[in-house]
Amino acid sequence: MWVCGALGARTPAQLRRRLFPASRRRRPAAAAFSASAERSRVRALVYEHHGDPAKVVELKNLELAAVGRSDVHVKMLAAPVNPSDINMIQGNYGLLPKLPAVGGNEGVGQVVAVGSSVTRVKPGDWVIPANAGLGTWRTEAVFSEEALISVPSDIPLQSAATLGVNPCTAYRMLMDFERLRPGDSVIQNASNSGVGQAVIQIAAALGLRTINVVRDRPDIQKLTDRLKNLGAHHVVTEEELRKHEMKNFFKDVPQPQLALNCVGGKSSTELLRHLAPGGTMVTYGGMAKQPVIASVSLLIFKDLKLRGFWLSQWKKDHSPDQFKELILTLCDLIHRGQLTAPACSEAPLQDYQRALEASMQPFVSSKQILIM
């Protein structure tokens, strides 16, 4: 929009007429933009081999590709640093792009120009990646139309930049594994994570009670207050969850039918121990890097179910239109003030080293967002 606005043009056609005089106007959009694209340089965070992100990621200049008939030129606005981004760079994720690769699986950009066959987006629109592996840690890029989904440009920038992964994961886990009704309980660990904060807010919007497990820390009361301000009903530490007194806790609070596990190890065992008979624990991460250990007696006598969730697999099993519908549902929650972005710290792209290192620190309370 800023390109068209600066030139007094409202449509791509008007933009082409102002950029290119009549003698050059016969070329299609792809050709028209290719000359300038070939001269453009893009700053991007690139890794050529897997390893420690702080060591293998470098800020480099790349050449911007020409805009083809089905392509979209996007100026990236903001992109977060997620745990999956770190795992992908380390080489221990379920989806690994061909190397060298640009980091980043999530973010929001603004459309600058489109090819002649593009119909679903236009200059000025905000767009997010349709799938992981797109490489969002760069100032601009040319993507295929199918690789992008448009989002409303009237939602906060941080919400748009963090919309496509964590809130989607939270919503699907709440909806797809148990038939929960208003008043039912959900228990989760890693409650301060991006997914955890989204679970709290979406569950509150659905009328569900959340029991939120976090690691003990010096500022535990500050964290507790922040999560309760998001809509958390109960916040307990890992240590408190293991105490005998929790039996009294569940005399007043319904036992959860659903547990969401992002940690593994002892933490996941405790979640299972407090599930209601017939309940389900969904594992979507393994921060402790320890296996999920399930008691045989719990599986037999309480008939508990163990499931896994990976958003990339959900996308493979569902159509692009279904993912678009999910995004619009979340945008509606944002518009209604029921879903906000996680606590974020913004960093300029050139300060990527600090952002990467901060994202890998223990007890992280703020998501790092790269501003382009």
Side-chain angles (χ1 to χ4, degrees):
M1 183 176 291
W2 59 270
V3 172
C4 293
L7 295 171
R10 292 182 176 270
T11 68
Q14 291 174 339
L15 177 62
R16 289 197 295 274
R17 285 196 292 270
R18 290 181 180 274
L19 286 175
F20 306 105
S23 60
R24 299 168 59 192
R25 201 181 300 156
R26 296 178 181 177
R27 291 184 297 174
F33 285 108
S34 64
S36 61
E38 289 174 358
R39 294 192 297 268
S40 298
R41 294 287 173 177
V42 177
R43 291 189 303 160
L45 297 180
V46 180
Y47 57 102
E48 297 183 353
H49 55 274
H50 296 121
D52 181 354
K55 296 179 180 178
V56 301
V57 174
E58 297 179 289
L59 182 60
K60 294 190 173 184
N61 289 326
L62 303 180
E63 191 172 277
L64 186 67
V67 178
R69 290 172 55 86
S70 301
D71 292 337
V72 180
H73 177 191
V74 177
K75 178 186 183 298
M76 293 304 301
L77 302 176
V81 180
N82 289 321
S84 58
D85 301 323
I86 299 298
N87 293 338
M88 191 173 284
I89 295 168
Q90 293 169 335
N92 53 14
Y93 194 65
L95 186 156
L96 297 176
K98 183 180 178 181
L99 299 180
V102 176
N105 293 298
E106 188 180 30
V108 62
Q110 187 173 43
V111 175
V112 176
V114 301
S116 58
S117 298
V118 173
T119 58
R120 293 196 293 268
V121 296
K122 62 185 183 302
D125 285 353
W126 278 16
V127 290
I128 64 173
N131 292 293
L134 197 62
T136 55
W137 295 351
R138 56 178 122 191
T139 53
E140 55 186 314
V142 173
F143 301 120
S144 67
E145 181 182 17
E146 290 72 20
L148 303 169
I149 289 180
S150 62
V151 297
S153 59
D154 61 350
I155 62 176
L157 180 66
Q158 291 184 353
S159 294
T162 58
L163 178 62
V165 177
N166 292 335
C168 293
T169 297
Y171 187 88
R172 292 267 55 101
M173 291 193 299
L174 288 171
M175 299 298 292
D176 294 351
F177 295 94
E178 289 285 341
R179 293 185 177 180
L180 301 173
R181 297 176 177 84
D184 286 348
S185 295
V186 176
I187 189 169
Q188 65 166 340
N189 55 24
S191 304
N192 190 38
S193 66
V195 172
Q197 293 178 57
V199 165
I200 290 171
Q201 296 177 83
I202 296 170
L206 296 172
L208 304 174
R209 303 164 65 106
T210 53
I211 304 163
N212 301 279
V213 184
V214 297
R215 290 178 293 177
D216 199 4
R217 64 195 69 199
D219 61 344
I220 185 64
Q221 188 57 51
K222 181 179 178 182
L223 174 60
T224 297
D225 292 342
R226 184 160 62 82
L227 295 183
K228 286 190 173 182
N229 286 336
L230 291 177
H233 288 80
H234 308 282
V235 179
V236 299
T237 65
E238 297 275 5
E239 292 76 15
E240 290 171 335
L241 192 64
R242 289 193 283 268
K243 291 182 178 180
H244 181 75
E245 288 77 10
M246 287 303 295
K247 286 188 176 181
N248 295 327
F249 174 84
F250 284 109
K251 290 180 180 178
D252 301 320
V253 177
Q255 276 194 297
Q257 289 288 337
L258 179 66
L260 306 178
N261 168 47
C262 185
V263 179
K266 293 180 179 179
S267 178
S268 59
T269 302
E270 289 300 316
L271 293 188
L272 281 171
R273 195 163 66 88
H274 294 293
L275 267 180
T280 301
M281 183 174 78
V282 182
T283 294
Y284 67 97
M287 293 170 58
K289 299 183 179 179
Q290 297 174 358
V292 171
I293 300 175
S295 164
V296 172
S297 62
L298 289 177
L299 294 177
I300 294 175
F301 301 120
K302 292 183 70 175
D303 190 25
L304 301 183
K305 300 179 286 293
L306 303 180
R307 299 289 302 274
F309 181 83
W310 185 31
L311 183 62
S312 293
Q313 185 61 51
W314 185 91
K315 290 179 183 179
K316 291 179 183 178
D317 297 337
H318 296 78
S319 69
D321 286 341
Q322 287 173 302
F323 182 53
K324 174 73 172 181
E325 182 181 358
L326 170 58
I327 292 295
L328 292 179
T329 297
L330 295 171
C331 287
D332 184 52
L333 291 177
I334 294 172
H335 282 135
R336 287 189 282 169
Q338 295 177 309
L339 179 62
T340 61
C344 296
S345 296
E346 296 184 353
L349 184 64
Q350 61 267 25
D351 289 346
Y352 71 95
Q353 287 276 10
R354 176 174 58 84
L356 291 176
E357 291 172 359
S359 69
M360 293 185 287
Q361 295 300 313
F363 302 111
V364 174
S365 296
S366 183
K367 182 177 289 294
Q368 300 295 312
I369 293 192
L370 298 170
I371 301 298
M372 310 305 168

